[in-house]
């Protein structure tokens, strides 16, 4: 029994009498306009991927990633730097309103608001317009996010002390020395170890192995300073300084 135009009862439901198939047409029915995913389209994808992969390998060989010294969890003087795509968040934590006791603002609150706003955009922008000029809300949010990320990343790169970081992360050849020597014991009890490391590997200060300096020059630097090292850092006796300077001067020598 048929009731209504194009309708008939089938059990307890109503369906169209002439329902169209939901199966899409085969690509062969559109000559010149489509192609098979396998192998035609997939082969093109692989070719493009191979080109980019070879390009990345060439760049890696030409400019290898610099290796740094072995990580030392006890070294609190090391200046860490995240990957470039996290630099904007790293820079955010340097500001007073998002660091220290307010660290949760820079680490959770601000990124959470940004991600939350991004998730709400599809619900707030229900227009069918595709032109960015006719979609002010998502366009404005996109431009604001891009400007903020670009500015914070730029500030992080410009304000980072690359020379000091390079010196801190430099791979220093380990030298053998007598840990029972009087000069090393004096070094351990001095403030020098905080900047130059317990193995003389450096940190805030430069490495002290194979410096090429004489004991007299080391004593002068300890009193007068050099470069970023301020003066009057030695607070011990002249005899202890002479013993330690002699020990440091011989580090790394055959």
């Amino acid at each position: 029994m048929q009731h209504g135009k194009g309708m008939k009862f089938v059990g307890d439901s109503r369906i169209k009498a002439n329902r169209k198939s939901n199966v899409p047409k085969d690509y062969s029915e559109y000559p010149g306009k489509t192609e098979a995913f396998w192998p035609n389209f997939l082969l093109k994808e692989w070719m493009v991927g191979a080109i980019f992969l070879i390009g990345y390998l060439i760049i890696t060989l030409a400019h290898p990633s610099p290796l740094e010294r072995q990580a030392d969890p006890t070294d609190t003087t090391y200046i860490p730097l995240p990957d470039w795509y996290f630099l904007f968040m790293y820079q955010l934590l340097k500001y007073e309103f998002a660091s220290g006791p307010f660290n949760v603002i820079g680490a959770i609150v601000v990124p959470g608001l940004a991600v939350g706003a991004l998730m709400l955009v599809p619900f707030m922008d229900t227009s069918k317009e595709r032109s960015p000029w006719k979609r002010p809300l998502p366009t404005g949010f996109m431009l604001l996010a891009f400007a903020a990320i670009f500015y914070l990343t730029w500030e992080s790169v410009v304000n980072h002390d690359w020379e000091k970081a390079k010196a801190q992360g430099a791979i220093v050849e380990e030298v053998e020395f007598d840990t029972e020597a009087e000069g090393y014991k004096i070094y351990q009890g001095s403030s020098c170890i905080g900047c130059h490391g317990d193995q003389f590997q450096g940190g805030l200060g430069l490495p002290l192995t194979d410096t090429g300096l004489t004991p007299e020059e080391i004593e002068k630097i300890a009193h007068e300073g050099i470069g970023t090292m301020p003066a009057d850092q030695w607070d011990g006796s002249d005899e202890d300084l002479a013993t330690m300077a002699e020990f440091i001067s011989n580090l790394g020598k055959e």
Side-chain angles (χ1 to χ4, degrees), residues 149-218:
I149 292 174
F150 180 85
Y151 172 78
L152 292 174
T153 302
W154 177 266
E155 284 291 301
S156 180
V157 172
V158 170
N159 294 319
H160 184 68
D161 193 336
W162 295 98
E163 292 298 325
K164 181 178 289 186
K166 183 179 180 180
Q168 285 181 328
I171 299 176
V172 180
E173 184 178 356
E174 294 184 2
V175 296
E176 295 182 359
F177 55 87
D178 184 7
T179 57
E180 298 299 323
E182 185 65 23
Y184 183 68
K185 291 181 179 179
I186 295 173
Y187 175 79
Q188 281 185 308
S190 69
S191 60
C192 305
I193 195 171
C195 293
H196 298 282
D198 60 344
Q199 301 292 318
F200 306 99
Q201 74 274 13
L204 285 177
L206 297 174
L208 296 180
T209 58
D210 196 15
T211 60
L213 300 174
T214 64
E216 292 74 20
E217 290 173 328
I218 295 175

Side-chain angles (χ1 to χ4, degrees), residues 61-73:
L61 293 174
H63 302 282
S65 178
L67 296 178
E68 295 188 352
R69 60 183 173 86
Q70 186 175 358
D72 182 5

Side-chain angles (χ1 to χ4, degrees), residues 175 210-215 248-254:
V175 296
D210 196 15
T211 60
L213 300 174
T214 64
I248 293 175
S249 179
N250 292 320
L251 284 173
K253 293 183 178 179
E254 294 293 338

Side-chain angles (χ1 to χ4, degrees), residues 3-251:
H3 299 269
K5 185 177 180 181
M7 302 295 294
K8 67 178 180 179
F9 283 111
V10 178
D12 293 331
S13 64
R14 291 183 176 183
I15 61 173
K16 290 184 178 181
N18 300 315
R19 186 173 59 175
K20 294 182 179 180
S21 174
N22 292 327
V23 179
K25 293 183 179 181
D26 187 81
Y27 74 94
S28 60
E29 298 186 29
Y30 300 92
K33 296 183 179 180
T34 59
E35 61 179 330
F37 179 78
W38 170 265
N40 301 12
F41 184 79
L42 197 57
L43 181 60
K44 293 179 181 179
E45 291 279 306
W46 285 345
M47 292 177 63
V48 173
I51 292 173
F52 274 92
L53 179 60
I54 293 173
Y56 288 140
L57 291 176
I58 293 174
I59 294 174
T60 302
L61 293 174
H63 302 282
S65 178
L67 296 178
E68 295 188 352
R69 60 183 173 86
Q70 186 175 358
D72 182 5
T74 64
D75 183 8
T76 58
T77 63
Y78 181 77
I79 304 175
L81 188 69
D83 291 321
W84 65 269
Y85 42 83
F86 286 129
L87 282 178
F88 67 97
M89 293 186 64
Y90 173 75
Q91 179 65 22
L92 187 63
L93 296 176
K94 296 180 181 179
Y95 296 119
E96 185 177 355
F97 68 87
S99 61
F102 308 107
N103 197 42
V104 65
I105 296 178
I108 298 177
V109 175
V110 173
L113 290 175
V115 173
L118 185 62
M119 294 176 65
L120 290 176
V121 166
F123 300 98
M124 294 185 294
D125 178 50
T126 57
S127 172
K128 296 181 180 180
E129 291 288 345
R130 296 294 89 191
S131 173
W133 308 113
K134 297 181 179 180
R135 303 173 64 200
L137 182 62
T139 302
F141 178 77
M142 182 272 293
L143 293 176
L144 178 63
F146 177 80
I149 292 174
F150 180 85
Y151 172 78
L152 292 174
T153 302
W154 177 266
E155 284 291 301
S156 180
V157 172
V158 170
N159 294 319
H160 184 68
D161 193 336
W162 295 98
E163 292 298 325
K164 181 178 289 186
K166 183 179 180 180
Q168 285 181 328
I171 299 176
V172 180
E173 184 178 356
E174 294 184 2
V175 296
E176 295 182 359
F177 55 87
D178 184 7
T179 57
E180 298 299 323
E182 185 65 23
Y184 183 68
K185 291 181 179 179
I186 295 173
Y187 175 79
Q188 281 185 308
S190 69
S191 60
C192 305
I193 195 171
C195 293
H196 298 282
D198 60 344
Q199 301 292 318
F200 306 99
Q201 74 274 13
L204 285 177
L206 297 174
L208 296 180
T209 58
D210 196 15
T211 60
L213 300 174
T214 64
E216 292 74 20
E217 290 173 328
I218 295 175
E219 292 180 47
K220 182 179 179 181
I221 292 173
H223 286 302
E224 300 180 3
I226 187 173
T228 58
M229 176 182 171
D232 302 322
Q233 293 299 295
W234 178 256
D235 54 3
S237 65
D238 291 339
E239 293 78 10
D240 287 346
L241 177 58
T243 303
M244 186 182 71
E246 181 72 27
F247 177 79
I248 293 175
S249 179
N250 292 320
L251 284 173

